[in-house]
Amino acid sequence: MKTSMWMALLCLPLAGCSLLGYHKVEKASWAPPEEAAAVVFPNSFKEGVHLEGPMMSALEVAMNEFLPPGSELQTQDPDKRMAQCLSRRSSYDTHVLQSGADLFFVWFSPNPSRCGLNEPILDGGAVYAIDGQGRILDRR
């Protein structure tokens, strides 16, 4: 009996924090050493995508607003696969456009085929305008 009371007292403040929007971001997991040994690093990043600091910051601000860590979309559909798909950040294509020195547009467009779904989505993404200070100016 005492144990359950202590558990309830411990969980109450933790649940309260999550209700206030606090979410602890978990550290990334690491692959086992035998998998890591097979990785060959590139000699150049010339063909890669280059995101400068302010652009990366704008992308992070927009993603955390659009799909905060730990969030799950709710649906009335009994088939929850689409909601689960759209709750994963990896289900979105991301486009970042720098417009001037201090303005970034970040567009998230869903790609449900990454979840094995072929249903069209008419209004599942968003475009954010982010300033160089990391503030959201607008969303469409």
Side-chain angles (χ1 to χ4, degrees):
M1 179 78 170
K2 285 186 177 185
T3 304
S4 62
M5 183 177 77
W6 283 109
M7 289 297 286
L9 289 174
L10 179 64
C11 291
L12 182 63
L14 295 176
C17 291
S18 68
L19 294 174
L20 296 174
Y22 173 80
H23 178 78
K24 181 180 177 185
V25 177
E26 293 186 24
K27 292 183 77 171
S29 61
W30 285 74
E34 53 274 4
E35 285 183 49
V39 174
V40 178
F41 279 87
N43 291 326
S44 169
F45 281 84
K46 182 180 177 185
E47 299 299 318
V49 175
H50 177 78
L51 300 177
E52 293 182 1
M55 185 180 286
M56 186 62 217
S57 185
L59 175 59
E60 181 181 26
V61 166
M63 180 54 86
N64 286 338
E65 176 66 22
F66 178 68
L67 194 58
S71 64
E72 290 185 25
L73 299 177
Q74 303 299 318
T75 181
Q76 301 297 326
D77 190 351
D79 183 2
K80 306 281 187 204
R81 292 181 304 150
M82 185 61 78
Q84 291 169 344
C85 180
L86 296 177
S87 293
R88 295 195 321 240
R89 290 180 169 193
S90 62
S91 297
Y92 293 88
D93 291 333
T94 305
H95 314 270
V96 181
L97 172 67
Q98 184 169 357
S99 179
D102 240 15
L103 181 60
F104 301 89
F105 293 96
V106 181
W107 172 31
F108 301 111
S109 58
N111 187 344
S113 66
R114 291 204 180 103
C115 305
L117 301 173
N118 295 319
E119 302 169 37
I121 298 178
L122 302 177
D123 191 23
V127 178
Y128 288 88
I130 310 288
D131 71 9
Q133 298 173 30
R135 298 178 304 170
I136 299 171
L137 301 174
D138 201 358
R139 173 187 169 159
R140 299 262 159 105

